[in-house]
Amino acid sequence: NLYINGTLAGSVASATLSASSMIIGYYYSSAYSFQGYLSDIKVVNGTAVYGGNFTPPTEPTGNTNAVFYVPCDNAGIFDKSGNNTLTIVGNASTSTTQTKYADTSIAFDGSGDYLEGPSTNTVTNFGTNDFTVEFWFYTNTTTSQQNLLDNIGGSSNGIYIPAGGGS
């Protein structure tokens, strides 16, 4: 299921997702880079955290059951679950311009900046298991497709904002 602001926006009966490595704020072949801000990025593998419509959190989700968690607190970009290393590419950096739960978020200007990692199967290979990927984002534009999360080295298995901001 896909929820936007706690409301069911779509669902798929069955899917098998796997990736060699996760990238945040970019598309695997350099098109459709994200222009905006992300924070409180959490991946839970093996569990669907939400089973129906819900009230979105009003504070950080925390790293409970997370195999990957980037809260953007303490002005840093790191995996607070302690399981993975992130590589910052280009000029992705913390920003106080748009934030939600913490004092900072990750700013992407859409010109080749992104976060790369992790490449561990516990994060990037969901297979047919339940999983949850959640995050807060603020976009600066909706004129073209923008990828929020994707994979490296293959066809796109990502989460993106379609051109025009539609679904």
Side-chain angles (χ1 to χ4, degrees):
N1 293 331
L2 170 68
Y3 297 93
I4 298 175
N5 292 328
T7 302
L8 183 65
S11 63
V12 175
S14 175
T16 301
L17 299 175
S18 64
S20 58
S21 184
M22 182 170 57
I23 53 177
I24 300 168
Y26 198 63
Y27 185 63
Y28 77 97
S29 67
S30 78
Y32 312 123
S33 294
F34 179 60
Q35 297 176 45
Y37 305 87
L38 282 164
S39 72
D40 210 39
I41 306 163
K42 180 178 180 178
V43 176
V44 177
N45 196 350
T47 304
V49 173
Y50 305 104
N53 289 349
F54 61 95
T55 301
T58 57
E59 54 189 46
T61 59
N63 64 357
T64 302
N65 297 323
V67 294
F68 179 76
Y69 180 55
V70 180
C72 299
D73 59 3
N74 301 318
I77 302 173
F78 59 91
D79 177 17
K80 198 167 186 174
S81 75
N83 298 319
N84 308 282
T85 300
L86 288 172
T87 302
I88 300 170
V89 178
N91 62 350
S93 63
T94 59
S95 172
T96 59
T97 303
Q98 293 290 338
T99 64
K100 179 68 175 178
Y101 304 113
D103 293 337
T104 61
S105 61
I106 306 167
F108 300 89
D109 65 12
S111 64
D113 46 333
Y114 61 96
L115 305 180
E116 181 180 336
S119 61
T120 60
N121 282 339
T122 57
V123 177
T124 59
N125 190 358
F126 302 118
T128 57
N129 297 321
D130 288 337
F131 63 93
T132 300
V133 177
E134 68 183 300
F135 50 87
W136 170 86
F137 77 92
Y138 178 94
T139 183
N140 291 333
T141 183
T142 58
T143 58
S144 64
Q145 177 178 317
Q146 296 183 75
N147 280 48
L148 298 161
L149 293 121
D150 214 320
N151 67 332
I152 291 177
S155 61
S156 176
N157 286 323
I159 299 171
Y160 65 91
I161 305 165
S167 55

